[in-house]
Amino acid sequence: MTTPRLGIAYVPTHAPETLRRLATTAEEAGLDDLWVWEDCFKQSGLASAAAALAWTDRLRVGIGLMPAPLRSTAVTAMEVATLARTFPGRLVPGVGHGVQDWMGQAGVRVASPLTLLREHTTALRRLLAGEEVTTSGRYVTLDRVRLDWPPTEPVPLWLGGVGPRSLALAGELGDGLILANALTPDDVRGAVEAARDGGAGEGFDVHATLIAATGPHAQDRVDREVPLWGREPGQGVGAAGDAQALATAVGALADAGATAVAIQPTADEPDVEGFVRFLGREVAPLLSAR
């Protein structure tokens, strides 16, 4: 059985000034990854990733997800390339449709999110590869654009989505798939199959998020958290209990196809840094011993 990468999800309901301590604690605790979000209208995923990368030396930082409607393809390429050159091998950029209601609020909602994501991803990948790109699509238009400072090594580009066509597109165009945060192992298994239908092959990565809590009243806290993300308690979403309980839940997601799992603390977690240390020192060794 493959041991998944274990990380922590930095939920943007926390104030930006809390990120530094969380990132450095995650690295000190031995976690593999830190995942930052770009939810409207809370925090910039790229700005958060840049800060976390600068404050750490080893930690891999993923962005899940940058909404394609919000971001110019050329500017996204410039920003990703800058971080990839400055912190080689440690950045995982992810792109997606964005929440459509939020895109409407921002005035950037499009008629065909799938078309936009295809055009954006295709052009972005070519730019990051150092190519000169000219394209005139329905949404993405570039005229002889080439980065002066493309990444010095390939940058993995992951896609996110929910519906079957989006999952298939991730399998077709992405190096990995970023899934929503309130899924069961069966949900993950189905999403992986949809990505494979789109063409995902060997080496395709899948990122899942696990809502989790430990300590007193852990199950009650998870049961209160899960409905905030569109699911009901008792449906197999989330994990509560000791290190073994969390390791078992992470292992179930890995067995369903996840290659990386980020733990999302509940909103009422009283000691986020202590929780991060618990993950690195108690849960991670159990995963390695599977």
Side-chain angles (χ1 to χ4, degrees), residues 95-231:
V95 295
H97 301 302
V99 176
Q100 294 307 295
D101 286 347
W102 290 342
M103 299 303 100
Q105 284 182 272
V108 294
R109 186 168 183 168
V110 298
S112 178
L114 200 69
T115 300
L116 169 57
L117 187 58
R118 175 180 290 279
E119 292 179 359
H120 178 78
T121 303
T122 301
L124 180 58
R125 184 180 292 284
R126 292 180 61 195
L127 289 170
L128 293 174
E131 298 180 29
E132 180 179 282
V133 180
T134 296
T135 184
S136 181
R138 182 175 178 182
Y139 299 111
V140 176
T141 299
L142 300 171
D143 181 16
R144 296 167 297 156
V145 175
R146 184 196 298 270
L147 297 177
D148 283 7
W149 300 101
T152 54
E153 58 185 62
V155 178
L157 186 58
W158 294 19
L159 274 67
V162 177
R165 291 193 299 166
S166 297
L167 294 169
L169 185 67
E172 177 189 350
L173 297 181
D175 297 304
L177 168 65
I178 300 176
L179 295 172
N181 64 333
L183 302 181
T184 68
D186 284 343
D187 294 330
V188 172
R189 190 173 290 107
V192 172
E193 290 174 358
R196 287 176 178 157
D197 288 342
E202 293 296 324
F204 186 76
D205 280 301
V206 177
H207 167 77
T209 301
L210 178 68
I211 298 170
T214 191
H217 311 295
Q219 188 63 60
D220 291 340
R221 291 166 50 213
V222 170
D223 288 346
R224 288 195 298 268
E225 185 78 16
V226 167
L228 302 177
W229 306 99
R231 301 295 287 267

Side-chain angles (χ1 to χ4, degrees), residues 17-26 28 55 273 276-277:
E17 60 267 24
T18 65
L19 175 58
R20 180 170 190 163
R21 189 58 188 156
L22 180 68
T24 56
T25 301
E28 292 164 3
W55 290 325
E273 292 166 23
V276 169
R277 295 188 186 96

Side-chain angles (χ1 to χ4, degrees), residues 21-71:
R21 189 58 188 156
L22 180 68
T24 56
T25 301
E27 179 152 278
E28 292 164 3
L31 292 183
D32 299 307
D33 298 334
L34 167 71
W35 285 86
V36 298
W37 293 8
E38 187 160 84
D39 278 6
C40 298
F41 297 94
K42 298 176 175 67
Q43 296 171 23
S44 161
L46 272 163
S48 297
L53 287 163
W55 290 325
T56 57
D57 297 312
R58 175 196 55 80
L59 203 65
R60 188 177 75 167
V61 178
I63 307 173
L65 294 154
M66 293 179 285
L70 273 178
R71 293 187 167 275

